[in-house]
Amino acid sequence: MTISRGQPSIGLSNITESAPTLPPVVTDVATHLDYLTNQLADLTQIVAGKVDSDRIRTQIAFSDEALFLSAEDIVLFGNVTIGNIIKEQNGTTSGNIDPSITRIVGDRIQTGTILSNNWSATDGTSINLDTGQILVGGSTNPNLSFDGAGNLTISGTLTADSIVESSSLTLSDITQAVEGLPADFFDEADLQSVLDAGVENIIAGLSADFQLEVDANSIIAKHKDADPAGLGSGYSGVLRTGLLINANGIAMGYNDPGTGAWTNAVSMDASGNGIFKGTVLADSIIAASATINGVTLGAIKGQAEEGDSHANDNGNPHGTQLSQVGGRLDDISDLGSAYKHSTANQNAGGGRAYNALDGNSKYILELSTQHITVSGTSPVNGIVIDGDGLRGYKGGGLPKFEIPTDGSAVVLKGDIETSGKVLATGQHTISYDGKTFITSIMGRPDLAGTIGVVGVSDNTWGVAGYSKTSYGVYGIANSGYGVVGATESSNAIGMLAVGFGTGAALEVQGKIVKSEVSSHRLKLYNASTGALVDEYRYEFT
């Protein structure tokens, strides 16, 4: 298409009858521009308008470069074509002609791009009718973008209440249809078919209690309540297990019922290293070349067979020395009830007990009384040795004997029997019946009719008292006998008083009472000659 330079300005032509029908949509813009140029080439300059004296109703004004049209209503009959080629037509510039036009024919508009008044990088709407691109929300990051090739991108929420074009069902119809499916609609065979095709389309569900989760990083088949990250607390009921597969390897485990923490029961990393918390059972043969910590199974098998061959050998078939055995005896567990580990304190205590007892379990060391203490109150039965002395108890209550440490009187509730002698060297002062006595041994029974001191002998003295300056035997009685002597043999003497020196052998203070007994005789001797004077029966009243 060519346009001559320097053509006169286009004017209005004579009114002609309109075509009976609208022209077709222009498909070749360049051909259409040629057509318009030919139609306008012979127009003359005609301008018509009406201007009232008081106000302007309509106005048409023009200059060399512009045309102004103003009216209450502007009516255009015919085809309206708008093209940005004025500078090429009037010869004010040169270059290639942009064939883009906007054409209005009745209720039809033909153009390139429609832009909103606020169109910018961040706002407004653009519809490109040539490419089919639609942008809503600016050119940089639109909220809605349709590229004309069928790709639609929406950054907000898509809400659809109408029927989906590719189906006769609404979204509500689809939801109701899914909820009404029978329980066996998707059975095991269907699942296997999907698994054979690939699990990337499965979003959840192997059964009511187990789930299969697949994402870009891992595959997890687990109990619906299990969590490989841990539950945070314990739980009850069915053990919550799971299988995990990711780039690091494979793990099978469970949430611990007591704590909820995840525990790997079986794990194998990507390098092939496996960990089993339970027992590994193998029905097939493991190659002898396989190694455990660098030792082949073949070598381990040979060593085990050699050890088994010596299992029933007596003695030490390998000649193993204790110095060759690593570890300590303390590392050996207790062997039943007979052999147990002992602590350092137990060993020290055993040594002390060994030194304190002889072969007959008799105590052979000295007792240190300051180390013997009483725990608790006085016992019902037993002996107590403490800082106060020695006390013996029987049947509870007061002690049956007591030996104080302060030197005070020894208390005995029972008899004293000895095959040896009783020697008293101390002095005890006692006041009785208005008299004061100093004695080493004193018998003073509380029960009436009881003898204070009794001496019994088969062939020697029953009671002997000896004093250099006082009384050898001193007897006091309020209602009984102060001193009594008795014998069972005719050759024995019931009471003997012997005086050494010039003192009296026998002194009686008070009345002597002796009934007459025919067998009781009193012999009198001559003091000068020593001859027996006579023998008499006697009585004291």
Side-chain angles (χ1 to χ4, degrees):
M1 178 189 70
T2 58
I3 297 179
S4 301
R5 292 177 179 274
Q7 291 183 357
S9 298
I10 299 174
L12 297 179
S13 63
N14 296 325
I15 297 176
T16 59
E17 184 178 357
S18 299
T21 59
L22 291 174
V25 176
V26 174
T27 57
D28 187 349
V29 176
T31 301
H32 187 64
L33 289 176
D34 285 336
Y35 166 76
L36 293 178
T37 301
N38 294 329
Q39 291 292 96
L40 300 176
D42 298 330
L43 291 180
T44 58
Q45 297 180 5
I46 300 174
V47 176
K50 174 178 174 48
V51 179
D52 294 338
S53 59
D54 56 344
R55 57 189 305 180
I56 297 175
R57 296 294 183 181
T58 61
Q59 183 181 7
I60 298 176
F62 62 91
S63 65
D64 293 340
E65 299 296 335
L67 172 65
F68 175 76
L69 178 62
S70 174
E72 183 72 22
D73 294 307
I74 298 176
V75 180
L76 300 176
F77 294 102
N79 300 332
V80 178
T81 301
I82 302 173
N84 188 20
I85 60 172
I86 184 63
K87 292 183 179 181
E88 294 297 334
Q89 182 194 17
N90 60 25
T92 58
T93 186
S94 62
N96 295 327
I97 299 174
D98 182 3
S100 300
I101 64 171
T102 297
R103 187 165 183 258
I104 302 174
V105 180
D107 60 353
R108 183 184 306 159
I109 297 178
Q110 180 182 1
T111 187
T113 301
I114 300 175
L115 301 177
S116 64
N117 289 328
N118 63 338
W119 174 251
S120 66
T122 58
D123 297 300
T125 301
S126 169
I127 301 176
N128 190 321
L129 300 179
D130 293 332
T131 63
Q133 183 189 53
I134 302 175
L135 301 177
V136 178
S139 60
T140 302
N141 189 21
N143 296 324
L144 183 146
S145 173
F146 180 75
D147 61 3
N151 299 312
L152 176 65
T153 302
I154 300 175
S155 61
T157 301
L158 176 62
T159 302
D161 292 331
S162 60
I163 296 176
V164 179
E165 288 295 330
S166 61
S167 173
S168 61
L169 299 175
T170 65
L171 293 179
S172 176
D173 294 335
I174 296 174
T175 301
Q176 294 176 3
V178 172
E179 292 176 348
L181 291 176
D184 59 351
F185 176 78
F186 190 80
D187 57 15
E188 183 177 353
D190 297 324
L191 175 60
Q192 186 61 53
S193 175
V194 175
L195 291 175
D196 293 340
V199 299
E200 64 273 6
N201 293 325
I202 302 177
I203 58 175
L206 292 177
S207 69
D209 291 331
F210 286 88
Q211 296 177 345
L212 178 64
E213 299 178 359
V214 180
D215 58 28
N217 299 316
S218 63
I219 301 175
I220 302 176
K222 68 179 186 66
H223 186 275
K224 63 183 179 62
D225 297 325
D227 189 347
L231 299 176
S233 61
Y235 64 93
S236 60
V238 178
L239 186 66
R240 302 176 184 180
T241 59
L243 169 65
L244 293 77
I245 303 175
N246 56 28
N248 297 324
I250 302 173
M252 291 183 290
Y254 58 92
N255 288 115
D256 187 272
T259 63
W262 180 263
T263 300
N264 283 336
V266 177
S267 62
M268 182 172 293
D269 62 20
S271 300
N273 301 312
I275 298 176
F276 299 83
K277 293 184 67 66
T279 302
V280 178
L281 300 177
D283 292 334
S284 60
I285 297 176
I286 301 176
S289 60
T291 62
I292 299 178
N293 198 22
V295 182
T296 66
L297 288 179
I300 296 174
K301 176 177 178 294
Q303 294 170 359
E305 292 175 345
E306 182 181 0
D308 182 67
S309 66
H310 296 293
N312 297 320
D313 291 345
N314 296 325
N316 185 5
H318 294 287
T320 303
Q321 303 296 321
L322 282 177
S323 59
Q324 298 175 276
V325 180
R328 305 175 305 163
L329 291 177
D330 288 342
D331 298 330
I332 302 175
S333 302
D334 292 341
L335 302 178
S337 59
Y339 300 95
K340 292 182 176 294
H341 286 123
S342 60
T343 64
N345 291 336
Q346 290 172 335
N347 293 334
R352 297 188 188 104
Y354 177 82
N355 294 329
L357 302 177
D358 62 12
N360 297 319
S361 299
K362 304 295 184 181
Y363 188 79
I364 59 176
L365 298 181
E366 295 181 355
L367 284 175
S368 179
T369 56
Q370 62 267 29
H371 293 155
I372 301 177
T373 59
V374 178
S375 60
T377 59
S378 298
V380 176
N381 299 306
I383 295 176
V384 175
I385 303 175
D386 58 16
D388 294 330
L390 173 64
R391 300 184 301 279
Y393 295 85
K394 183 67 175 179
L398 296 175
K400 301 302 181 182
F401 71 87
E402 184 175 2
I403 304 176
T405 57
D406 60 2
S408 58
V410 176
V411 178
L412 301 175
K413 295 297 181 66
D415 299 333
I416 296 178
E417 295 184 8
T418 177
S419 59
K421 64 181 180 179
V422 177
L423 176 63
T425 60
Q427 295 180 348
H428 180 66
T429 302
I430 183 172
S431 297
Y432 184 79
D433 197 21
K435 298 180 178 61
T436 300
F437 304 95
I438 299 176
T439 179
S440 295
I441 298 177
M442 182 182 70
R444 183 182 177 182
D446 293 331
L447 185 62
T450 303
I451 301 173
V453 177
V454 176
V456 178
S457 177
D458 289 338
N459 54 17
T460 185
W461 298 348
V463 175
Y466 175 81
S467 176
K468 288 184 177 182
T469 59
S470 185
Y471 304 102
V473 175
Y474 195 103
I476 301 174
N478 284 332
S479 59
Y481 301 99
V483 176
V484 175
T487 181
E488 294 181 357
S489 172
S490 59
N491 296 325
I493 300 173
M495 182 173 61
L496 174 66
V498 179
F500 297 97
T502 59
L506 177 63
E507 177 179 340
V508 179
Q509 296 179 2
K511 182 173 63 174
I512 298 176
V513 177
K514 170 64 175 72
S515 299
E516 181 185 1
V517 179
S518 59
S519 61
H520 292 180
R521 304 300 175 93
L522 179 63
K523 294 180 179 181
L524 298 178
Y525 293 87
N526 188 297
S528 299
T529 63
L532 177 64
V533 175
D534 205 347
E535 182 176 337
Y536 303 92
R537 293 186 299 173
Y538 65 93
E539 178 183 27
F540 299 120
T541 60

